[in-house]
C-alpha cells in the first residue's frame, strides 16, 4: 500500500532570538534563521475533526528536512479540516520552551515536538499534558532499548522516530562495509551541539560498520562546529593530516557535512567513500556529480502523514504504538532513477495523491 499525503503552508512570522544553546542541545540543521511561522488559513475540508489545532514545535525552520515535514503536515492536516500552527525555535531551547507554552496558552489540541533537549522540556510538556493536550514526540526516543508502553515516554503520549538510529544507520553501514570490501579506516562527522538523536545515529553507525567486519576501524568522530559544509570541511582536513590521509570512508550526520568532507578529501587528493543523511536536493545532486556516494533518504513528507495519523488517533482516544519507525531509503548512484524528489512528494501531498495511512503499526510500510 502506498502512503498518501497533502500540502499547504501559510505563515505568520514572529521575531525570535536565535540563541544556539550548545550546552542544552541543538538540532542537526544550519542555524541561520530566527523566524517563526504558523499556518492560519481556513481549512478547505470539512470533517469530524474540523475545529482543532495542532502546534508543531520546529527546532530549526530553515533545515530542509524539517521544513518539508512541516509543509506536508500542514497540507495533510488541512485536508482533514485541521489547522497546523508552527513555531521555529531557531535552535534555542529557551525559544522552544516558550513556543510550547504559547501553544498551551492558545489551547491547541495537540503538540508535535522535535525536542532540542530532554529534561529542560519536561516541565512545559508536563504542563501541556495536564492541560489535556496530546504531545507527540518527533525523534524524542534515542535509546535502542524497546519501548513497550506509553508510560515509558511520559510526558510524551507517543513518538515518531525518523528511522535513523535503527534502519538508517544499518543501511549506511552495510553500504560502506561492502564498498570497502570489509577493510579500511572510517572517519565520522557529527554535529558539535549535543543533539541526542543525531549523536545516537552516529554511535549506531560506528557500531554497525565496525561490527560488519574486523577489518574496518573507526578512527574517531570529528565535530562540525557550525552545522554546515564549511564546519565539516575543516575538521575533516585536520583529521586527514592527523592520519596521514589514511582514511577510506567518511560517514556524516547530514548531507551538508558529507559535502564538506568531500571537499576536504578532494583538496587533499584522497579518494574515499562518503555517506550522508537526509536525502535533500543538495545531497542528491552531490551523489549525481560523484561528490557523495550515498545518503539516507528520510522521506519527511511521509513521516508527516504518519505523524498526523498518530495525532488524530490519540485525539480520538485510540491507542497507537508507543514508538513508530517510518521506513527510510538508501540512495546511491545506482538507484537514483527511482528516487522521488521531496518536491514531488509535497505535490502529491498537495493534490491528495498521498494521504495518511488508514491504520498504524510500529513499522509502517510505505511505497
Amino acid at each position: 500500500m502506498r502512503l498518501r499525503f497533502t500540502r499547504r503552508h501559510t505563515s505568520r512570522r514572529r521575531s525570535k532570538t536565535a540563541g544556539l544553546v550548545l550546552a542544552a542541545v541543538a538540532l542537526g540543521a544550519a542555524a541561520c534563521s530566527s523566524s517563526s511561522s504558523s499556518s492560519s488559513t481556513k481549512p478547505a475540508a470539512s470533517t469530524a475533526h474540523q475545529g482543532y489545532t495542532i502546534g508543531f514545535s520546529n527546532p530549526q525552520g530553515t533545515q530542509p528536512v524539517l521544513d518539508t515535514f512541516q509543509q506536508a503536515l500542514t497540507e495533510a492536516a488541512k485536508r482533514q479540516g485541521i489547522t497546523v500552527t508552527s513555531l521555529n525555535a531557531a535552535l534555542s531551547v529557551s525559544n522552544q520552551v516558550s513556543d510550547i507554552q504559547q501553544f498551551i496558552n492558545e489551547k491547541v489540541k495537540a503538540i508535535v515536538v522535535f525536542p532540542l533537549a530532554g529534561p529542560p522540556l519536561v516541565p512545559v510538556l508536563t504542563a501541556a499534558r495536564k492541560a489535556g493536550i496530546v504531545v507527540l514526540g518527533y525523534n524524542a526516543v534515542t535509546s535502542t532499548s524497546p519501548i513497550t508502553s506509553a508510560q515509558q515516554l511520559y510526558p510524551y503520549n507517543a513518538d515518531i522516530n525518523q528511522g535513523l538510529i535503527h534502519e538508517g544507520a544499518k543501511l549506511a553501514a552495510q553500504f560502506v562495509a561492502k564498498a570497502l570490501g570489509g577493510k579500511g579506516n572510517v572517519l565520522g562527522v557529527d554535529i558539535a551541539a549535543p543533539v541526542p538523536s543525531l549523536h545516537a545515529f552516529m554511535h549506531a553507525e560506528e557500531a554497525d560498520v565496525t561490527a560488519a567486519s574486523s577489518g574496518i576501524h573507526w578512527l574517531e568522530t570529528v565535530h562540525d562546529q557550525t552545522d554546515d559544509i564549511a564546519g565539516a570541511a575543516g575538521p575533516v582536513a585536520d583529521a586527514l593530516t592527523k592520519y596521514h590521509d589514511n582514511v577510506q570512508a567518511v560517514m556524516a550526520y547530514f548531507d551538508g557535512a558529507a559535502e564538506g568532507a568531500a571537499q576536504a578529501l578532494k583538496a587533499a587528493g584522497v579518494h574515499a567513500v562518503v555517506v550522508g543523511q537526509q536525502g535533500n536536493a543538495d545531497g542528491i545532486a552531490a551523489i549525481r556529480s560523484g561528490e557523495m556516494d550515498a545518503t539516507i533518504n528520510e522521506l519527511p513528507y511521509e513521516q508527516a502523514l504518519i505523524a498526523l495519523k498518530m495525532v488524530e488517533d490519540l485525539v480520538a482516544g485510540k491507542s497507537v504504538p508507543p514508538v513508530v519507525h517510518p521506513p527510510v531509503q538508501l540512495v546511491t548512484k545506482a538507484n537514483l532513477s527511482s528516487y522521488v524528489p521531496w518536491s514531488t512528494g509535497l505535490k502529491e501531498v498537495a493534490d491528495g495523491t498521498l494521504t495518511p495511512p488508514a491504520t498504524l503499526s510500529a513499522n509502517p510500510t510505505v511505497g
Side-chain angles (χ1 to χ4, degrees), residues 74-85:
T74 305
E75 286 301 325
K78 175 188 173 185
R79 295 184 69 86
Q80 298 295 91
I82 301 168
T83 298
V84 172
T85 297

Side-chain angles (χ1 to χ4, degrees), residues 119-312:
L121 294 185
V122 170
V124 72
L125 291 177
T126 298
R129 288 292 302 275
K130 288 181 178 178
I133 298 171
V134 165
V135 178
L136 178 67
Y138 181 25
N139 257 23
V141 174
T142 58
S143 171
T144 56
S145 300
I147 302 293
T148 58
S149 70
Q151 284 74 21
Q152 294 173 267
L153 298 174
Y154 196 86
Y156 300 94
N157 291 87
D159 180 66
I160 176 171
N161 193 279
Q162 284 183 305
L164 299 177
I165 298 169
H166 301 283
E167 185 182 6
K170 186 177 297 183
L171 289 172
Q174 289 172 346
F175 175 82
V176 170
K178 183 176 180 180
L180 295 183
K183 184 178 181 180
N185 294 326
V186 181
L187 182 70
V189 184
D190 198 355
I191 189 171
V195 185
S197 59
L198 291 177
H199 293 338
F201 169 62
M202 291 305 301
H203 285 311
E205 286 202 319
E206 177 181 356
D208 289 345
V209 76
T210 53
S213 172
S214 60
I216 295 179
H217 305 285
W218 190 273
L219 294 172
E220 68 171 298
T221 300
V222 299
H223 294 87
D224 185 332
Q225 297 290 334
T226 52
D227 195 22
D228 55 19
I229 292 175
V236 171
D238 291 342
L240 290 172
T241 299
K242 177 180 178 180
Y243 295 106
H244 308 290
D245 293 339
N246 190 17
V247 175
Q248 284 71 51
V250 178
M251 302 180 77
Y253 73 99
F254 94 113
D255 289 340
E259 290 180 74
Q263 291 181 6
L265 289 163
K266 182 178 181 180
V270 176
H271 175 72
V273 177
V274 179
V275 178
Q277 179 274 125
Q278 267 197 21
N280 62 46
D282 289 343
I284 297 303
I287 292 175
R288 186 169 283 111
S289 68
E291 187 178 11
M292 280 170 51
D293 295 279
T295 187
I296 301 300
N297 180 18
E298 292 185 28
L299 301 162
Y301 51 91
E302 295 191 355
Q303 292 178 359
L305 298 197
I306 296 170
L308 177 61
K309 174 61 176 175
M310 293 177 75
V311 167
E312 288 186 285

Side-chain angles (χ1 to χ4, degrees), residues 16-20 31 33-36 58-61 87-92 95 99 116:
K16 275 187 168 288
T17 302
L20 176 62
S33 168
S34 60
S35 66
S36 299
N58 190 331
Q60 174 56 305
L87 295 176
N88 174 17
L91 292 178
S92 166
N95 282 352
D99 290 345
L116 285 169

